[in-house]
Amino acid sequence: MSGRFAGRQVLVTGGGSGIGAATCALFAREGAAVTVLDRDGESAGQVAAEVGGRAVVCDVRDGDAVTTAVHEAAEAMGGLTDLVNNAGIGTAKPLLDYSDKQFALLIAVNLTGTFHGIRAAGPIMLAAGRGSIVNNASLTGIRPTRGEGPYSAAKAGVLALTQSAALELAPAVRVNAVAPGMIESPLTAMVVANDAWRTAAEAGTPAGRIGTSDEVAEVIAFLASDAASYVTGQTIVVDGGSVLPSLQSDALLRAISESGF
């Protein structure tokens, strides 16, 4: 099969829906063998069938299970050239309202799960002498938002882990991250389904709209591709420019304008 990822073997965690599913589809279209890893076996199987890949049921919180799943996928595909650590969960509530259990869950899935993927795939890639890992972080890992304290902390950890892995696995393995803003996916379904909330989100985005999973998948694919062969330890923000406005400057300029100055 032809394509920029022909001959490559790719594993995507959280590949059963949203950005993960879009990423699986893109890699498959571009010639890669794809393994869809997800804790939901039904969704993993559906995406695998759609992309002509294979499905693996696994909870990324379980380090031993992730190691087993990654090694089995590599054996089945004839190698492992690319890993996309995409699995993640989120919620929103005031910081002081989070229980220990809720905090631990968000860290375990979003941060520890990413570490489990890197630890499992790293030795395989190093032995082969090449590889690319792309971690799905979040804009809130760079600029935290109210209500997402534990999630933001986990994603900030993913950014630091990305840089550490890039240093330690170089030069054979490149490790990068994407930091999506508001993207239409299962994680944002509640916002997207509410017309007033969606309108508010779009109004605060210079691009004037919410992004798509396909758009994030394209950036992930770029980072994994040979076009990014000299890029490692980096994070690309995919947010339609939403992080650009300054609340302080906007409030000041509004006050100045209203004063008639």
Side-chain angles (χ1 to χ4, degrees):
M1 183 179 291
S2 61
R4 58 179 159 161
F5 295 110
R8 304 268 285 268
Q9 302 93 23
V10 183
L11 186 148
V12 181
T13 72
S17 63
I19 293 171
T23 301
C24 289
L26 192 158
F27 275 110
R29 287 197 305 271
E30 293 284 352
V34 176
T35 293
V36 184
L37 186 152
D38 203 287
R39 65 177 179 172
D40 184 335
E42 183 176 351
S43 62
Q46 181 177 344
V47 172
E50 291 172 354
V51 304
R54 63 190 303 274
V56 174
V57 180
C58 181
D59 188 330
V60 296
R61 293 177 295 174
D62 186 335
D64 290 340
V66 171
T67 296
T68 297
V70 169
H71 280 261
E72 289 180 351
E75 184 176 355
M77 292 189 293
L80 180 66
T81 58
D82 300 271
L83 168 68
V84 180
N85 279 311
N86 169 76
I89 59 171
T91 189
K93 64 169 64 178
L95 179 62
L96 303 184
D97 290 346
Y98 280 94
S99 67
D100 289 351
K101 184 177 180 179
Q102 291 167 332
F103 184 91
L105 176 62
L106 288 163
I107 298 298
V109 175
N110 294 299
L111 177 56
T112 310
T114 299
F115 165 69
H116 288 158
I118 294 171
R119 186 179 63 183
I124 298 172
M125 294 179 176
L126 288 174
R130 68 164 184 161
S132 169
I133 298 173
V134 182
N135 301 319
N136 193 351
S138 172
L139 184 62
T140 63
I142 298 172
R143 185 170 295 182
T145 58
R146 292 179 178 85
E148 292 188 323
Y151 178 80
S152 297
K155 292 301 189 178
V158 169
L159 298 178
L161 189 62
T162 296
Q163 293 179 335
S164 294
L167 282 171
E168 295 196 26
L169 302 183
V173 181
R174 296 184 301 105
V175 187
N176 293 289
V178 292
M182 179 64 69
I183 302 296
E184 192 163 348
S185 73
L187 282 179
T188 62
M190 186 168 66
V191 172
V192 172
N194 185 302
D195 290 341
W197 294 355
R198 179 171 188 141
T199 297
E202 292 174 339
T205 306
R209 61 180 178 83
I210 290 174
T212 69
S213 293
D214 287 337
E215 288 173 310
V216 180
E218 288 286 355
V219 178
I220 291 172
F222 162 71
L223 288 171
S225 75
D226 291 340
S229 60
Y230 200 52
V231 179
T232 193
Q234 303 304 307
T235 298
I236 296 183
V237 173
V238 189
D239 73 335
S242 65
V243 77
L244 294 174
S246 165
L247 292 176
Q248 182 185 63
S249 296
D250 287 350
L252 174 60
L253 291 172
R254 185 162 50 250
I256 291 174
S257 176
E258 292 173 353
S259 72
F261 180 78

